[in-house]
Coordinates of all heavy atoms in Angstrom, one line a residue:
V32 N -7.3 -2.5 3.9 CA -8.6 -2.4 3.1 C -8.5 -1.0 2.5 O -8.3 0.0 3.1 CB -9.8 -2.5 4.0 CG1 -11.1 -2.3 3.1 CG2 -9.8 -3.9 4.6
E33 N -8.8 -0.9 1.2 CA -8.9 0.4 0.5 C -10.3 0.6 0.0 O -10.8 -0.2 -0.9 CB -7.9 0.4 -0.7 CG -7.9 1.7 -1.5 CD -6.9 1.7 -2.7 OE1 -6.2 0.8 -2.8 OE2 -6.9 2.7 -3.4
A34 N -10.9 1.6 0.5 CA -12.3 1.9 0.1 C -12.3 2.5 -1.3 O -11.4 3.4 -1.6 CB -12.9 2.9 1.1
L35 N -13.2 2.1 -2.2 CA -13.4 2.7 -3.5 C -14.8 3.1 -3.7 O -15.6 2.4 -4.3 CB -13.0 1.6 -4.6 CG -11.6 1.0 -4.5 CD1 -11.5 -0.1 -5.5 CD2 -10.6 2.0 -4.7
P36 N -15.2 4.3 -3.1 CA -16.5 4.8 -3.2 C -17.0 4.9 -4.6 O -16.1 5.1 -5.5 CB -16.5 6.1 -2.5 CG -15.3 6.0 -1.6 CD -14.3 5.2 -2.3
P37 N -18.2 4.7 -4.9 CA -19.3 4.7 -4.0 C -19.7 3.3 -3.5 O -20.6 3.1 -2.6 CB -20.5 5.3 -4.7 CG -20.2 4.9 -6.1 CD -18.8 4.9 -6.3
D38 N -19.2 2.2 -4.1 CA -19.7 0.9 -3.8 C -18.7 -0.3 -3.8 O -19.2 -1.4 -3.9 CB -20.9 0.6 -4.8 CG -20.4 0.5 -6.2 OD1 -19.2 0.7 -6.5 OD2 -21.2 0.2 -7.1
A39 N -17.4 0.0 -3.7 CA -16.5 -1.1 -3.8 C -15.3 -0.9 -2.9 O -15.1 0.1 -2.2 CB -16.0 -1.2 -5.3
A40 N -14.5 -2.0 -2.8 CA -13.3 -1.9 -1.9 C -12.3 -3.0 -2.4 O -12.7 -4.0 -3.0 CB -13.6 -2.1 -0.5
L41 N -11.0 -2.8 -2.1 CA -10.0 -3.8 -2.3 C -9.5 -4.3 -1.0 O -9.4 -3.5 0.0 CB -8.8 -3.2 -3.1 CG -9.0 -2.9 -4.6 CD1 -7.9 -2.0 -5.1 CD2 -9.0 -4.2 -5.3
V42 N -9.2 -5.6 -0.8 CA -8.8 -6.2 0.4 C -7.6 -7.0 0.1 O -7.6 -7.9 -0.7 CB -9.9 -7.1 1.0 CG1 -9.5 -7.5 2.4 CG2 -11.2 -6.3 1.1
D43 N -6.5 -6.7 0.8 CA -5.3 -7.6 0.7 C -5.3 -8.7 1.8 O -5.3 -8.4 3.0 CB -4.0 -6.7 1.0 CG -2.7 -7.4 0.7 OD1 -2.8 -8.7 0.7 OD2 -1.7 -6.8 0.5
L44 N -5.4 -9.9 1.3 CA -5.6 -11.0 2.3 C -4.2 -11.8 2.5 O -4.2 -12.9 2.9 CB -6.6 -12.0 1.7 CG -8.0 -11.5 1.6 CD1 -8.9 -12.6 1.0 CD2 -8.5 -11.1 2.9
G45 N -3.1 -11.1 2.2 CA -1.8 -11.7 2.4 C -1.6 -12.4 3.7 O -1.2 -13.5 3.8
G46 N -1.9 -11.7 4.8 CA -1.8 -12.3 6.1 C -3.0 -13.0 6.6 O -2.9 -13.9 7.5
A47 N -4.2 -12.6 6.1 CA -5.4 -13.2 6.6 C -5.6 -14.7 6.2 O -6.2 -15.5 7.0 CB -6.6 -12.4 6.0
V48 N -5.0 -15.1 5.0 CA -5.1 -16.5 4.6 C -4.5 -17.4 5.6 O -5.0 -18.4 6.1 CB -4.5 -16.6 3.2 CG1 -4.4 -18.1 2.9 CG2 -5.3 -15.9 2.2
R49 N -3.3 -17.0 6.1 CA -2.6 -17.8 7.1 C -3.2 -17.7 8.5 O -3.4 -18.7 9.2 CB -1.1 -17.3 7.2 CG -0.3 -18.1 8.2 CD 1.2 -17.7 8.2 NE 1.8 -18.0 6.9 CZ 3.1 -17.8 6.6 NH1 3.8 -17.2 7.5 NH2 3.5 -18.1 5.4
Y50 N -3.7 -16.5 8.8 CA -4.3 -16.3 10.1 C -5.5 -17.1 10.3 O -5.8 -17.7 11.4 CB -4.6 -14.8 10.4 CG -5.2 -14.5 11.7 CD1 -4.4 -14.3 12.8 CD2 -6.5 -14.3 11.9 CE1 -4.9 -14.0 14.1 CE2 -7.1 -14.0 13.1 CZ -6.3 -13.9 14.2 OH -6.8 -13.6 15.4
F51 N -6.4 -17.1 9.3 CA -7.7 -17.7 9.5 C -7.7 -19.2 9.0 O -8.6 -20.0 9.2 CB -8.8 -17.0 8.6 CG -9.2 -15.7 9.2 CD1 -8.7 -14.5 8.7 CD2 -10.0 -15.6 10.3 CE1 -9.1 -13.3 9.2 CE2 -10.4 -14.4 10.9 CZ -9.9 -13.2 10.3
G52 N -6.6 -19.6 8.3 CA -6.5 -20.9 7.9 C -7.4 -21.3 6.7 O -7.8 -22.4 6.5
R53 N -7.8 -20.2 6.0 CA -8.8 -20.4 4.8 C -8.2 -19.7 3.6 O -7.4 -18.7 3.8 CB -10.1 -19.8 5.1 CG -10.8 -20.5 6.3 CD -12.1 -19.8 6.6 NE -12.8 -20.3 7.8 CZ -13.7 -21.3 7.7 NH1 -14.1 -21.7 6.5 NH2 -14.3 -21.8 8.8
D54 N -8.5 -20.2 2.4 CA -8.0 -19.5 1.2 C -8.9 -18.3 0.9 O -9.9 -18.1 1.6 CB -7.9 -20.5 0.1 CG -9.3 -21.1 -0.3 OD1 -10.3 -20.5 0.0 OD2 -9.3 -22.2 -0.9
A55 N -8.5 -17.6 -0.2 CA -9.3 -16.4 -0.5 C -10.7 -16.7 -0.9 O -11.6 -15.9 -0.5 CB -8.5 -15.7 -1.7
V56 N -11.0 -17.8 -1.5 CA -12.4 -18.1 -1.9 C -13.2 -18.3 -0.7 O -14.4 -17.9 -0.6 CB -12.4 -19.3 -2.9 CG1 -13.8 -19.7 -3.2 CG2 -11.6 -19.0 -4.2
E57 N -12.7 -19.0 0.3 CA -13.5 -19.3 1.5 C -13.7 -18.0 2.3 O -14.8 -17.8 2.8 CB -12.7 -20.3 2.3 CG -12.7 -21.7 1.7 CD -11.8 -22.7 2.5 OE1 -10.8 -22.2 3.1 OE2 -12.1 -23.9 2.5
L58 N -12.7 -17.2 2.4 CA -12.9 -15.9 3.1 C -13.9 -15.0 2.3 O -14.7 -14.3 2.9 CB -11.6 -15.2 3.2 CG -10.6 -15.8 4.1 CD1 -9.2 -15.0 4.1 CD2 -11.1 -15.8 5.6
A59 N -13.9 -15.0 1.0 CA -14.9 -14.3 0.2 C -16.3 -14.8 0.5 O -17.2 -14.0 0.6 CB -14.5 -14.4 -1.3
A60 N -16.5 -16.1 0.6 CA -17.8 -16.6 0.9 C -18.3 -16.1 2.3 O -19.5 -15.8 2.5 CB -17.7 -18.1 0.9
V61 N -17.4 -16.1 3.3 CA -17.8 -15.6 4.6 C -18.2 -14.1 4.5 O -19.1 -13.6 5.1 CB -16.6 -15.8 5.6 CG1 -17.0 -15.2 7.0 CG2 -16.4 -17.3 5.8
I62 N -17.4 -13.3 3.8 CA -17.7 -11.9 3.6 C -19.0 -11.7 3.0 O -19.9 -10.9 3.4 CB -16.6 -11.2 2.8 CG1 -15.3 -11.1 3.6 CG2 -17.0 -9.8 2.3 CD1 -14.1 -10.7 2.8
R63 N -19.3 -12.5 2.0 CA -20.6 -12.4 1.3 C -21.8 -12.7 2.2 O -22.8 -12.0 2.2 CB -20.6 -13.3 0.1 CG -21.9 -13.3 -0.7 CD -21.9 -14.2 -1.9 NE -20.9 -13.8 -2.9 CZ -19.7 -14.4 -3.1 NH1 -19.4 -15.5 -2.4 NH2 -18.9 -14.0 -4.0
V64 N -21.6 -13.7 3.0 CA -22.7 -14.1 3.9 C -22.9 -13.1 5.0 O -24.1 -12.7 5.3 CB -22.4 -15.5 4.5 CG1 -23.4 -15.8 5.7 CG2 -22.5 -16.6 3.5
R65 N -21.9 -12.5 5.5 CA -22.0 -11.5 6.6 C -22.6 -10.2 6.0 O -23.5 -9.6 6.7 CB -20.7 -11.2 7.2 CG -20.2 -12.4 8.1 CD -19.0 -11.9 8.9 NE -18.5 -13.0 9.8 CZ -17.5 -12.9 10.6 NH1 -16.9 -11.7 10.8 NH2 -17.1 -13.9 11.3
A66 N -22.2 -9.8 4.8 CA -22.8 -8.6 4.3 C -24.3 -8.7 4.0 O -25.1 -7.8 4.2 CB -22.0 -8.2 3.0
L67 N -24.7 -9.9 3.6 CA -26.1 -10.2 3.3 C -26.9 -10.3 4.6 O -28.0 -9.7 4.7 CB -26.2 -11.4 2.5 CG -27.6 -11.7 1.9 CD1 -28.1 -10.6 1.0 CD2 -27.6 -13.1 1.2
A68 N -26.3 -10.9 5.6 CA -27.0 -11.1 6.9 C -27.1 -9.9 7.7 O -28.2 -9.6 8.3 CB -26.3 -12.2 7.7
L69 N -26.1 -9.1 7.8 CA -26.0 -7.9 8.6 C -26.6 -6.7 8.0 O -27.3 -5.8 8.6 CB -24.6 -7.6 9.1 CG -23.9 -8.7 9.9 CD1 -22.5 -8.3 10.2 CD2 -24.7 -8.9 11.2
Y70 N -26.5 -6.5 6.6 CA -26.9 -5.3 6.0 C -27.8 -5.5 4.8 O -28.3 -4.6 4.2 CB -25.7 -4.5 5.5 CG -24.7 -4.2 6.6 CD1 -23.5 -4.9 6.8 CD2 -25.0 -3.2 7.5 CE1 -22.7 -4.6 7.8 CE2 -24.1 -2.9 8.5 CZ -23.0 -3.6 8.7 OH -22.1 -3.3 9.7
G71 N -28.1 -6.8 4.5 CA -29.0 -7.1 3.4 C -28.4 -6.7 2.0 O -29.2 -6.4 1.1
V72 N -27.1 -6.7 1.9 CA -26.4 -6.3 0.7 C -25.7 -7.5 0.1 O -24.8 -8.1 0.7 CB -25.4 -5.1 1.0 CG1 -24.7 -4.8 -0.3 CG2 -26.2 -3.9 1.5
E73 N -26.0 -7.8 -1.2 CA -25.3 -8.8 -1.9 C -24.0 -8.2 -2.5 O -23.9 -7.0 -2.7 CB -26.2 -9.4 -3.0 CG -25.6 -10.5 -3.8 CD -25.1 -11.7 -3.0 OE1 -24.0 -11.6 -2.5 OE2 -25.9 -12.7 -2.9
C74 N -23.0 -9.0 -2.8 CA -21.8 -8.5 -3.4 C -21.3 -9.4 -4.5 O -21.5 -10.6 -4.5 CB -20.8 -8.2 -2.3 SG -20.5 -9.6 -1.2
V75 N -20.5 -8.8 -5.4 CA -19.8 -9.5 -6.4 C -18.3 -9.4 -6.1 O -17.8 -8.3 -5.8 CB -20.0 -8.8 -7.8 CG1 -19.1 -9.4 -8.9 CG2 -21.5 -8.9 -8.2
I76 N -17.6 -10.5 -6.1 CA -16.2 -10.6 -5.7 C -15.3 -11.2 -6.7 O -15.7 -12.3 -7.3 CB -16.1 -11.4 -4.3 CG1 -17.0 -10.8 -3.3 CG2 -14.7 -11.5 -3.9 CD1 -17.0 -11.5 -2.0
G77 N -14.2 -10.6 -7.0 CA -13.2 -11.2 -7.8 C -11.9 -11.3 -7.0 O -11.6 -10.5 -6.1
A78 N -11.2 -12.4 -7.2 CA -9.9 -12.7 -6.5 C -8.8 -12.9 -7.5 O -8.9 -13.5 -8.5 CB -10.1 -13.9 -5.6
G79 N -7.6 -12.3 -7.1 CA -6.5 -12.5 -8.0 C -5.2 -12.2 -7.3 O -5.2 -11.8 -6.1
P80 N -4.0 -12.3 -7.9 CA -2.8 -12.1 -7.3 C -2.5 -10.6 -7.0 O -1.5 -10.2 -6.3 CB -1.7 -12.7 -8.2 CG -2.4 -12.7 -9.6 CD -3.9 -12.9 -9.3
G81 N -3.3 -9.7 -7.6 CA -3.1 -8.3 -7.4 C -4.4 -7.5 -7.7 O -5.4 -8.1 -8.1
P82 N -4.4 -6.2 -7.4 CA -5.6 -5.4 -7.6 C -6.1 -5.4 -9.0 O -7.4 -5.5 -9.2 CB -5.2 -4.0 -7.1 CG -4.1 -4.2 -6.2 CD -3.3 -5.4 -6.7
M83 N -5.3 -5.4 -10.0 CA -5.7 -5.3 -11.4 C -6.5 -6.5 -11.8 O -7.6 -6.5 -12.3 CB -4.5 -5.1 -12.3 CG -4.9 -4.9 -13.8 SD -3.5 -5.0 -14.9 CE -3.1 -6.7 -14.9
L84 N -5.9 -7.7 -11.5 CA -6.6 -8.9 -11.9 C -7.8 -9.2 -11.1 O -8.8 -9.8 -11.6 CB -5.6 -10.1 -11.8 CG -4.4 -10.1 -12.8 CD1 -3.4 -11.1 -12.5 CD2 -5.0 -10.2 -14.2
A85 N -7.8 -8.8 -9.8 CA -9.0 -8.9 -9.0 C -10.2 -8.1 -9.5 O -11.3 -8.5 -9.6 CB -8.7 -8.6 -7.5
R86 N -9.8 -6.9 -10.0 CA -10.9 -6.0 -10.6 C -11.4 -6.6 -11.8 O -12.7 -6.7 -12.0 CB -10.3 -4.6 -10.9 CG -10.0 -3.7 -9.8 CD -9.2 -2.5 -10.3 NE -8.9 -1.5 -9.3 CZ -9.6 -0.4 -9.0 NH1 -10.6 -0.2 -9.6 NH2 -9.1 0.4 -8.0
M87 N -10.6 -7.1 -12.7 CA -11.0 -7.7 -13.9 C -11.8 -9.0 -13.7 O -12.8 -9.2 -14.4 CB -9.8 -8.0 -14.8 CG -9.0 -6.7 -15.2 SD -7.6 -7.1 -16.3 CE -8.4 -7.6 -17.8
A88 N -11.4 -9.7 -12.7 CA -12.2 -10.9 -12.4 C -13.6 -10.6 -11.9 O -14.6 -11.3 -12.2 CB -11.4 -11.8 -11.3
A89 N -13.7 -9.5 -11.1 CA -15.0 -9.2 -10.6 C -16.0 -8.7 -11.7 O -17.2 -8.8 -11.6 CB -14.9 -8.0 -9.6
R90 N -15.5 -8.2 -12.8 CA -16.3 -7.8 -13.9 C -17.1 -8.9 -14.5 O -18.2 -8.7 -15.0 CB -15.5 -7.1 -15.0 CG -14.9 -5.8 -14.6 CD -14.1 -5.1 -15.7 NE -13.5 -3.9 -15.3 CZ -12.7 -3.2 -16.1 NH1 -12.4 -3.6 -17.3 NH2 -12.2 -2.0 -15.7
T91 N -16.5 -10.1 -14.5 CA -17.2 -11.3 -15.1 C -17.8 -12.2 -14.0 O -18.3 -13.3 -14.3 CB -16.2 -12.1 -15.9 OG1 -15.1 -12.5 -15.1 CG2 -15.7 -11.2 -17.1

Side-chain angles (χ1 to χ4, degrees):
V32 178
E33 179 178 357
L35 302 174
D38 61 359
L41 284 167
V42 188
D43 187 342
L44 296 179
V48 170
R49 178 176 298 180
Y50 180 82
F51 290 103
R53 299 174 182 268
D54 61 22
V56 177
E57 293 172 327
L58 290 175
V61 177
I62 291 172
R63 181 180 292 107
V64 170
R65 290 194 180 181
L67 189 59
L69 296 176
Y70 302 102
V72 176
E73 182 59 275
C74 51
V75 172
I76 302 179
M83 182 189 76
L84 292 172
R86 285 172 183 262
M87 296 180 68
R90 292 180 181 176
T91 58

